[in-house]
Amino acid sequence: MQSDTPQRRAEALHRLMPDAWTLRHRGIAPLDEGLREALCAVGNGYLVTRGAAPEAVADGVHYPGTYLAGCYDRTASQVGGRVFTHEDLVNCPNWLPVTFRCADGDWFTGPPAEQELELDLRRGVLTRRALCVDGAGRRTRLVQRRIASQARPHLVALETVLTAENWSGRLEVRSALDGTVTNSGVPRYAGLTSRHLTPLRQGLDPDGTLWLEVSTGAGRRIALAARHRVRVGGRPAEVASAMAAPAEAASVEVASAGVASAEVASVEAASAGLTGEGLAGEGLAATTFAVQASAGTAVTVDKAVAVHTSHDPATGDPLDAARQLVAEAEDFDHLLTEHALRWAQLWRRCRIDADFPGRGPLHLDLFHLLQTWSEHSADLDVGVPARGLHGEAYRGHVFWDELFVLRVLDLRFPELARAVLRYRHRRLDAARRAARAEGRRGASYPWQSGSDGREQSAQVHLNPLSGRWLPDHSHLQRHIGSAVAYNIWQHYQATGDLGFLAETGAETLLEIARYWASAAEHVPSRGHWSIRGVLGPDEYHDAYPWADRPGLDDNAYTNVLASWVLARAQDTLDLLPDRRRGELTERLALDAAELQHWQDVGRHLHVPFHDGVISQFDGYEHLAELDWATYRRRYPDLRRLDRILEAEGDTVNRYRASKQADVLMLWYLFSAHEVRDLLRRLGHPAEHELMRRTVSHYLHRTVHGSTLSSVVHAWVLTRCDRRASWKHFRDALTADLRDSQRGTTREGIHLGAMAGAADLLQRCYTGLELREDALWLDPRLPAALSGLALDLHYRGHWGVRITVDRQTATVALGTDRPEPVTVRFRGTAVPVRPGESRTFTL
Ligand code: IFM
């Protein structure tokens, strides 16, 4: 998408999203193929499949990928003579493969002569319309529709309609399940272990069910079963036989009878898989159908595939489960109807009516959020992967990005937000172990998390500009623990769910507080407490340029958040029913002296300042100013300034230059009021101008190398520059659509930014806050936005409608609960009762 002028940007957006519910890609664009595949992915929270063409294999242009929530595999890789182990989100067997050939022509391997891809966001259907022309000039129209069922999460379906235009004769269709795929979606990881699947067996049942079973190195069995129905001219077809020699491997099972003639075979290389004539090896099951095609008559191949693994709850043998499910699968249209109904329900729960031009990306962002995290993820004990289930960037790991995602889920699907928090709680012991390994108490959550809660951050990373592998210290971002605590507290504010807080939330929060109290060191000479050797959210600074150890001291964001957590720990204890408080304090051996210590530390953590602004960390003022003018001239894109400087033999650690919001995160998480109180509690007289000065200082020194940065800046700028806020909002909203981080979206969407952008409409521009058992409103509509209407879930009320325009803000309550909701508006607290609507004049 071109982005040079606002006008061009609007035109490009209109081409991509001709209406608010459609994403459309016309033509063939090899360089954009990876991006399209990520944006056109279909999923349901159990799995996501990239929008790759069904006939495609991983070839440098295409990258078929299917990822199952929480399906990780741990392997060892050698980099620079050292061995590192890491967990990858596994690229699971490709269920899509379908191709065809006319008479004795070549198998169609793409690209088509013409193509249009259309993603229907409202119903979750990807449609591909193409014209395929073979070497003999035979023209065949192809229409493919695919879904990942939101109604039956283990079911995916692909319908292929082929219509001969200028020929008649024998049409062969080949369909496969391909378990020979590898994790090769991120070129920077090329030197690392990429094979995670071991073929177990494959075969064709007498009833025509094609199936495949593979295993990850970690021993998770993944089974796929496919059924095919063929229709010619709308009528079920008799298909002719086209058997190929079965593979000789002992594990291959072949059935001779079936609805279609079949072959079951394997090839060594995925690239030869679907169309290769030499069938040998393991891991690929393929079947071929032949029909008599006549010009103008549609031939439909309806492929439904069930996917199960040995880790699925309430599932015995995964292959049996897959076979059973696919045997029950109705025709594509039926599956689509029930799937579309679920999407309609999801959209009702996600209602954000925002009247501004070019609002399609809002639906695209929410769409990908709902595909990554849904009711089908909730019981899987998985975390929210930062890059969705759409690619292999960051190896599918879980970061702090749920901080942005949960703000949407809390108010739309509180039960799904709770599942994220339970994922963290189940890993509390791992976090305790990590704290002990640091020589501290409490719980230290890992910066990157996967299956078992161990730290998954890379130890080295590649700078593609210099070709050097560099040490990676990002695991020192201990602030992630505060994000977990913040999420627990906010969830309680949004839901009032004391049961959850008492059962799991409080224990996690208290252990995080304990960690901060034990991580802080007393500095008697300065009369304060310090947290040393950490990184803030701005990952550009990972060490002092003059130091020989990684980490920074007294990162302001980390310390203020730690102070906040220590204060909330006491509030949490106060909220608990006596008996539960007793149980927890007993279990955690938490006594009055320790609680007093927490309060002491919480009031005396060091927050550094320089030149009248909050310093990002202690000593920040000694850093040099970058020659911004020269660098901007030399490099039109400074987002990876760290790589640029390293490739020049320099280091970004020397400069006052930030990748993303760090100090400014404070005003993202808290109202100006709250930040002032937090700073005052820490002994700093924080007047209103402090925010303005601090924003201005960092804004000009931030390159937005993370998509999260735009979300935070949009938020913070509402308080001082709404026009600039809107620009950042648009950047966040369209970050993946525009591939704003240049080539990264193809490796996975940026889920935090997608959810964060939606939340800007939901909470930021309405000034919606959830605190002190009330719903606070303080609308700040940017000029481009004439109004907003939201339907929220708040404290057990399913229908809280908030409507904001330039003159008024209205809160209307449904009748599903007897309790009123307290609305706080400019100094007044007004109870809104069930069935009531209250309007406030702005
Ligand atoms: O969590 C983020 C981090 O803040 C910036 N780098 C990418 C991570 C994953 O999205």
Side-chain angles (χ1 to χ4, degrees):
M1 185 174 155
Q2 285 175 321
S3 58
D4 29 12
T5 64
Q7 167 78 10
R8 283 206 171 172
R9 217 155 134 161
E11 286 166 10
L13 172 60
H14 186 71
R15 268 196 304 280
L16 280 174
M17 299 205 69
D19 64 64
W21 294 95
T22 308
L23 174 69
R24 184 179 290 155
H25 293 288
R26 285 213 166 105
I28 312 292
L31 290 179
D32 280 349
E33 181 62 22
L35 171 64
R36 291 179 177 188
E37 288 175 357
L39 293 176
C40 290
V42 294
N44 55 26
Y46 174 76
L47 58 71
V48 172
T49 295
R50 290 165 63 87
E55 73 280 2
V57 293
D59 58 4
V61 172
H62 307 87
Y63 192 72
T66 290
Y67 305 93
L68 272 55
C71 184
Y72 292 102
D73 188 40
R74 176 180 292 277
T75 52
S77 299
Q78 251 206 346
V79 181
R82 288 175 61 194
V83 175
F84 298 100
T85 56
H86 56 255
E87 237 177 26
D88 284 270
L89 184 71
V90 175
N91 184 13
C92 290
N94 184 13
W95 62 272
L96 287 172
V98 167
T99 188
F100 68 96
R101 65 176 170 188
C102 323
D104 52 357
D106 291 333
W107 289 104
F108 172 63
T109 55
E114 294 168 13
Q115 177 176 273
E116 181 183 89
L117 282 180
E118 201 170 272
L119 182 61
D120 173 350
L121 302 172
R122 209 189 285 272
R123 299 191 311 156
V125 195
L126 177 64
T127 303
R128 178 193 194 203
R129 296 183 191 87
L131 172 66
C132 310
V133 184
D134 74 5
R138 284 173 291 218
R139 296 160 62 90
T140 308
R141 291 273 163 200
L142 171 149
V143 180
Q144 286 173 317
R145 296 187 294 167
R146 75 173 75 156
I147 57 170
S149 175
Q150 283 281 10
R152 290 183 238 187
H154 297 275
L155 210 55
V156 283
L158 170 71
E159 181 198 63
T160 302
V161 181
L162 295 161
T163 310
E165 259 193 19
N166 61 350
W167 64 277
S168 296
R170 181 183 163 87
L171 170 72
E172 278 180 272
V173 178
R174 181 173 285 181
S175 170
L177 304 171
D178 184 0
T180 67
V181 295
T182 60
N183 273 52
S184 318
V186 178
R188 292 184 302 293
Y189 304 163
L192 310 177
T193 302
S194 61
R195 192 164 290 282
H196 297 283
L197 298 179
T198 305
L200 295 179
R201 49 194 178 138
Q202 56 270 311
L204 186 80
D205 291 339
D207 67 355
T209 305
L210 185 71
W211 55 267
L212 168 76
E213 192 172 27
V214 298
S215 168
T216 66
R220 180 195 290 233
R221 285 186 294 139
I222 305 170
L224 283 76
R227 71 103 182 94
H228 300 84
R229 286 183 190 148
V230 182
R231 294 192 304 276
V232 177
R235 310 241 300 259
E238 289 294 317
V239 283
S241 174
M243 288 286 286
E248 289 186 355
S251 61
V252 174
E253 297 172 22
V254 182
S256 54
V259 289
S261 59
E263 63 190 354
V264 177
S266 323
V267 291
E268 267 165 86
S271 57
L274 189 55
T275 56
E277 299 299 337
L279 298 164
E282 294 179 326
L284 183 123
T287 180
T288 306
F289 317 103
V291 294
Q292 268 313 111
S294 43
T297 302
V299 175
T300 303
V301 178
D302 179 335
K303 177 180 186 180
V305 180
V307 183
H308 267 287
T309 87
S310 50
H311 284 28
D312 293 341
T315 301
D317 180 78
L319 184 55
D320 287 350
R323 279 179 166 134
Q324 183 175 352
L325 179 62
V326 86
E328 294 163 4
E330 298 85 348
D331 287 352
F332 186 89
D333 280 331
H334 183 104
L335 299 179
L336 175 57
T337 304
E338 62 181 21
H339 167 71
L341 172 71
R342 293 301 186 96
W343 269 107
Q345 292 176 349
L346 290 170
W347 286 121
R348 275 207 293 274
R349 286 247 225 150
C350 280
R351 181 173 169 213
I352 300 181
D353 288 347
D355 191 12
F356 64 94
R359 69 200 163 92
L362 170 64
H363 296 143
L364 182 71
D365 291 358
L366 286 168
F367 178 76
H368 284 301
L369 171 63
L370 299 171
Q371 297 203 115
T372 306
W373 195 259
S374 77
E375 62 180 298
H376 310 307
S377 336
D379 284 339
L380 296 177
D381 183 29
V382 295
V384 179
R387 302 298 288 274
L389 297 168
H390 296 59
E392 291 157 17
Y394 289 123
R395 306 202 174 98
H397 295 163
V398 175
F399 293 64
W400 73 326
D401 302 46
E402 68 206 36
L403 185 68
F404 299 81
V405 169
L406 287 186
R407 304 293 74 80
V408 176
L409 298 183
D410 274 344
L411 289 167
R412 308 288 174 166
F413 306 92
E415 70 284 11
L416 302 188
R418 214 155 36 237
V420 180
L421 302 176
R422 285 196 198 282
Y423 166 82
R424 294 297 189 179
H425 182 255
R426 288 193 201 94
R427 283 149 189 81
L428 183 55
D429 275 339
R432 286 179 171 131
R433 207 169 292 127
R436 280 200 300 278
E438 290 172 40
R440 290 166 176 162
R441 302 183 65 214
S444 175
Y445 275 90
W447 174 240
Q448 293 189 30
S449 175
S451 60
D452 62 6
R454 260 182 288 177
E455 179 61 76
Q456 296 300 329
S457 295
Q459 287 139 292
V460 289
H461 62 247
L462 178 70
N463 179 359
L465 296 184
S466 68
R468 279 189 283 272
W469 285 92
L470 306 162
D472 191 319
H473 302 302
S474 54
H475 67 279
L476 294 175
Q477 293 188 67
R478 310 280 184 222
H479 63 85
I480 187 161
S482 297
V484 174
Y486 183 89
N487 290 335
I488 292 168
W489 184 255
Q490 282 301 317
H491 181 71
Y492 172 70
Q493 290 299 323
T495 60
D497 186 348
L498 192 57
F500 166 77
L501 195 67
E503 280 157 27
T504 54
E507 186 182 15
T508 311
L509 194 147
L510 290 169
E511 286 289 71
I512 294 167
R514 176 174 266 168
Y515 173 79
W516 285 130
S518 102
E521 294 169 33
H522 193 219
V523 188
S525 58
R526 296 169 79 178
H528 64 219
W529 292 77
S530 277
I531 298 176
R532 300 188 192 282
V534 300
L535 260 68
D538 165 31
E539 297 168 323
Y540 276 1
H541 291 98
D542 68 353
Y544 290 106
W546 51 84
D548 56 6
R549 65 167 177 92
L552 305 158
D553 300 336
D554 291 322
N555 169 257
Y557 172 77
T558 303
N559 285 13
V560 174
L561 264 283
S563 165
W564 179 86
V565 173
L566 289 163
R568 290 301 74 75
Q570 185 60 58
D571 293 348
T572 303
L573 281 171
D574 293 345
L575 275 168
L576 297 183
D578 291 348
R579 286 172 72 142
R580 181 59 179 159
R581 186 184 321 110
E583 280 177 6
L584 267 184
T585 49
E586 224 169 51
R587 185 183 292 186
L588 300 176
L590 189 55
D591 58 20
E594 187 174 357
L595 285 172
Q596 184 53 49
H597 174 62
W598 292 7
Q599 295 318 309
D600 288 349
V601 174
R603 287 178 182 281
H604 297 100
L605 279 163
H606 179 43
V607 179
F609 280 73
H610 73 280
D611 302 337
V613 305
I614 303 177
S615 308
Q616 197 169 302
F617 46 82
D618 198 40
Y620 175 90
E621 70 278 15
H622 301 306
L623 302 186
E625 282 294 357
L626 185 78
D627 179 354
W628 289 99
T630 302
Y631 271 85
R632 290 222 157 88
R633 224 178 15 256
R634 284 174 51 202
Y635 300 95
D637 185 357
L638 283 184
R639 265 174 283 226
R640 290 317 305 251
L641 181 64
D642 58 334
R643 290 180 179 167
I644 292 173
L645 289 169
E646 195 275 332
E648 289 180 351
D650 202 345
T651 166
V652 72
N653 273 323
R654 294 207 310 120
Y655 301 101
R656 296 179 179 191
S658 305
K659 175 183 182 184
Q660 66 192 87
D662 192 298
V663 175
L664 301 193
M665 281 292 302
L666 293 175
W667 285 282
Y668 171 69
L669 295 183
F670 305 110
S671 67
H673 230 72
E674 288 174 296
V675 175
R676 198 193 54 201
D677 290 352
L678 281 165
L679 290 173
R680 287 187 178 163
R681 182 166 181 267
L682 287 159
H684 297 282
E687 19 62 74
H688 183 66
E689 281 306 301
L690 173 67
M691 183 187 95
R692 237 176 242 282
R693 285 197 305 272
T694 308
V695 170
S696 157
H697 178 88
Y698 290 103
L699 186 59
H700 298 113
R701 293 171 175 84
T702 302
V703 296
H704 308 299
S706 160
T707 51
L708 299 176
S709 197
S710 298
V711 176
V712 178
H713 281 84
W715 198 287
V716 170
L717 285 166
T718 6
R719 296 184 174 129
C720 43
D721 183 349
R722 283 193 210 169
R723 184 190 279 263
S725 162
W726 187 252
K727 187 192 160 301
H728 282 285
F729 161 71
R730 297 284 324 180
D731 284 351
L733 189 73
T734 58
D736 279 319
L737 193 61
R738 289 180 298 119
D739 193 16
S740 69
Q741 301 289 323
R742 306 278 158 102
T744 61
T745 297
R746 65 179 56 227
E747 300 167 354
I749 53 160
H750 298 78
L751 202 62
M754 285 185 154
D759 189 39
L760 281 160
L761 293 170
Q762 176 183 265
R763 290 190 309 134
C764 175
Y765 295 135
T766 53
L768 177 64
E769 289 176 56
L770 316 171
R771 59 184 162 97
E772 297 160 44
D773 299 323
L775 206 151
W776 301 59
L777 278 179
D778 183 12
R780 303 181 201 109
L781 291 182
L785 198 57
S786 54
L788 275 165
L790 318 166
D791 281 341
L792 303 178
H793 197 298
Y794 176 69
R795 297 216 154 189
H797 291 275
W798 279 65
V800 179
R801 172 156 302 180
I802 297 182
T803 323
V804 169
D805 59 30
R806 300 218 160 273
Q807 286 81 40
T808 59
T810 302
V811 179
L813 210 60
T815 52
D816 40 31
R817 276 188 83 90
E819 301 85 6
V821 164
T822 304
V823 178
R824 303 200 60 149
F825 178 79
R826 299 195 180 154
T828 59
V830 178
V832 181
R833 299 197 169 72
E836 255 183 21
S837 164
R838 298 295 293 258
T839 297
F840 306 88
T841 306
L842 304 182

